[in-house]
Amino acid sequence: MSTQSSVQPANERAALLIGGLAHEEWAGYEIDSDLLTPADAWRMRLTLSPDADGDFRLPAAVRKGVEAQVRIGGDLVMSGRVDDIRVRVAKRDQSLEILGRDGAATLLDCSAPLVGGRHLSLEEIIARVVRPLGVTSIRIAAAAGVARRREKVTVEPGDTAWDTLVHVAEANGLWPWMDPDGTLVIGGPDYSDATNPPAATLCLAARKTGQAGATNVESMERRESCAEQYSTVTVLGQTHGTEAEGGKHGLKSSATDPDLAAVWPRRKIVTDYEADSVAVCRSRAQKLLADGRLKSFELRAEVRGHRINAPGTRGHGKLWTPGQRVQVIAPRIGLIGTYFLMARTFILSQSEGTMTRLSLREDKVWILEAHPHKRKHRKGKHYAPEVGEEAADE
């Protein structure tokens, strides 16, 4: 059995709770959370001790599919279910790995219920999609009036619940994620200094200052790439005709990044069958341009422990959590400013002890624009329209 956790502070010990039992003596683990990746995950490993017969028997409560919680100290980090159990036997030792994901895993893996309706609110749509799959706690974190009532909602066979959820959220300029307690949240990033001020400061002191003690990161890496970034994005769209108005083709709008255009003109043309007006084309082009910029920059940092340990900071003692805004003072790599924590991984290893790996992006670059999802272009030859839909689509 690993003794690594015995030297950890109590508020840094990771515990896995299954069937009313908790275990916190781990040889190693990784606990991931990423706002852009559905279904946060954990992977925990411990070295096993044989029983009197030289064999190892799992506790009856530890089996695939059971509910589980991950806690660090007294803080709940994740609620979900066990996905995989792996027992490995070698000449020198035996080990057990337990892998699981949070409540979004069911939505990601399973097909959406075939529901439909008219004049439904965002809350009603989401409830019809996720509650039959066991997600009962839902919170809409959006300003009043942002979520629009949908004229019509349908789910096509084969769509996963997560796909449907993302489509509905994006149509309202929102994004879904899971809170640690298993609550499904539909909202967006908060860049306001008033409501979400920087929770921590990461400092990589300049060598010439001689202030080595000011450095509170183990490593820091700046990554920049233009592989998915474009100077100009043009969106082409169209709209179907109705009884009152004919269809429109050749709808087009562009968005330009002047900084990249001055250095390296890179143009991208996107055909979007759901962009049915010039305004939607323009909004979509701006969103795709911002997505490229978001992917073009990443700041990776590794820090000791799992909590914000800088005294005097607003987040002192709190766990690192995606969605936090972080002040960075790193003149050695040319960065001074505020950045957005997109993802983090809690790590325990025999060599390094407890660490946290942070992934930060440019502040105020991840934007969510309302984008309709009609999905008419996906109808196949066996599609049977609902009564009255033929006229609407003509």
Side-chain angles (χ1 to χ4, degrees):
M1 181 72 69
S2 168
T3 58
Q4 182 66 52
S5 64
S6 63
V7 298
Q8 292 176 256
N11 69 344
E12 296 257 325
R13 292 187 181 182
L16 181 63
L17 285 72
I18 299 176
L21 302 176
H23 189 90
E24 60 180 21
E25 296 286 338
W26 303 105
Y29 58 69
E30 291 189 7
I31 305 169
D32 296 320
S33 182
D34 188 333
L35 287 174
L36 295 181
T37 302
D40 293 342
W42 76 82
R43 182 188 189 111
M44 296 180 164
R45 179 175 57 85
L46 71 154
T47 303
L48 304 174
S49 299
D51 58 18
D53 298 325
D55 298 323
F56 171 78
R57 293 178 177 84
L58 284 173
V62 179
R63 59 187 189 278
K64 62 183 180 182
V66 299
E67 294 183 349
Q69 287 186 348
V70 177
R71 291 181 175 270
I72 293 183
D75 295 317
L76 179 62
V77 175
M78 197 182 307
S79 300
R81 291 181 181 272
V82 173
D83 275 335
D84 296 277
I85 299 173
R86 303 174 184 177
V87 179
R88 181 179 182 273
V89 179
K91 289 184 177 180
R92 296 184 178 179
D93 59 22
Q94 301 179 86
S95 63
L96 168 68
E97 277 192 327
I98 302 176
L99 296 81
R101 291 175 294 168
D102 69 9
T106 301
L107 306 180
L108 183 65
D109 297 343
C110 299
S111 297
L114 297 179
V115 298
R118 295 177 181 273
H119 305 290
L120 298 176
S121 67
L122 178 62
E123 294 89 339
E124 291 170 330
I125 298 169
I126 293 171
R128 292 192 181 193
V129 171
V130 305
R131 282 182 175 165
L133 297 177
V135 179
T136 57
S137 180
I138 303 168
R139 177 165 59 89
I140 308 298
V146 171
R148 301 190 299 273
R149 184 171 292 273
R150 305 291 293 171
E151 179 65 25
K152 180 183 177 184
V153 177
T154 58
V155 176
E156 295 185 11
D159 287 346
T160 68
W162 185 260
D163 287 339
T164 303
L165 183 61
V166 168
H167 289 164
V168 173
E170 283 189 329
N172 292 277
L174 303 171
W175 187 256
W177 69 86
M178 282 285 182
D179 270 354
D181 64 359
T183 298
L184 174 64
V185 182
I186 312 295
D190 184 358
Y191 298 121
S192 170
D193 285 328
T195 57
N196 188 20
T201 298
L202 296 178
C203 185
L204 184 65
R207 288 182 177 179
K208 63 182 180 180
T209 64
Q211 297 178 337
T215 297
N216 61 356
V217 296
E218 296 298 308
S219 68
M220 189 174 284
E221 178 182 3
R222 173 178 178 173
R223 294 185 169 192
E224 295 186 71
S225 171
C226 61
E228 297 183 67
Q229 187 178 17
Y230 300 95
S231 60
T232 302
V233 175
T234 300
V235 173
L236 306 178
Q238 65 181 16
T239 179
H240 295 273
T242 65
E243 293 180 348
E245 186 178 0
K248 296 179 181 179
H249 303 278
L251 300 174
K252 180 175 71 172
S253 187
S254 300
T256 301
D257 182 345
D259 294 333
L260 184 58
V263 177
W264 187 9
R266 289 168 52 84
R267 298 177 178 86
K268 179 76 170 180
I269 298 176
V270 176
T271 300
D272 190 335
Y273 295 100
E274 295 166 339
D276 55 6
S277 70
V278 173
V280 174
C281 289
R282 183 183 307 111
S283 176
R284 190 63 175 162
Q286 293 171 344
K287 174 68 166 62
L288 294 174
L289 196 73
D291 286 348
R293 182 173 174 180
L294 181 72
K295 296 174 183 177
S296 72
F297 174 88
E298 182 184 17
L299 176 62
R300 294 187 175 185
E302 289 188 341
V303 297
R304 285 284 174 192
H306 300 328
R307 298 182 181 273
I308 299 170
N309 291 321
T313 59
R314 184 180 182 87
H316 178 56
K318 294 182 179 180
L319 293 171
W320 292 100
T321 306
Q324 292 171 335
R325 299 170 69 232
V326 180
Q327 184 179 14
V328 175
I329 304 174
R332 289 169 62 179
I333 57 174
L335 296 178
I336 296 178
T338 300
Y339 294 84
F340 187 78
L341 181 56
M342 188 65 71
R344 65 99 182 98
T345 303
F346 295 140
I347 302 169
L348 171 66
S349 68
Q350 293 284 353
S351 59
E352 299 292 336
T354 53
M355 303 279 289
T356 301
R357 183 184 301 131
L358 308 173
S359 174
L360 298 111
R361 304 283 181 165
E362 283 190 75
D363 198 32
K364 302 180 181 179
V365 171
W366 182 36
I367 61 174
L368 298 170
E369 295 287 345
H371 182 226
H373 284 271
K374 301 182 183 66
R375 298 186 288 181
K376 290 182 179 179
H377 61 284
R378 294 176 58 191
K379 296 174 182 176
K381 63 181 180 180
H382 299 299
Y383 171 79
E386 294 183 7
V387 176
E389 186 177 348
E390 297 93 333
D393 287 344
E394 291 178 357

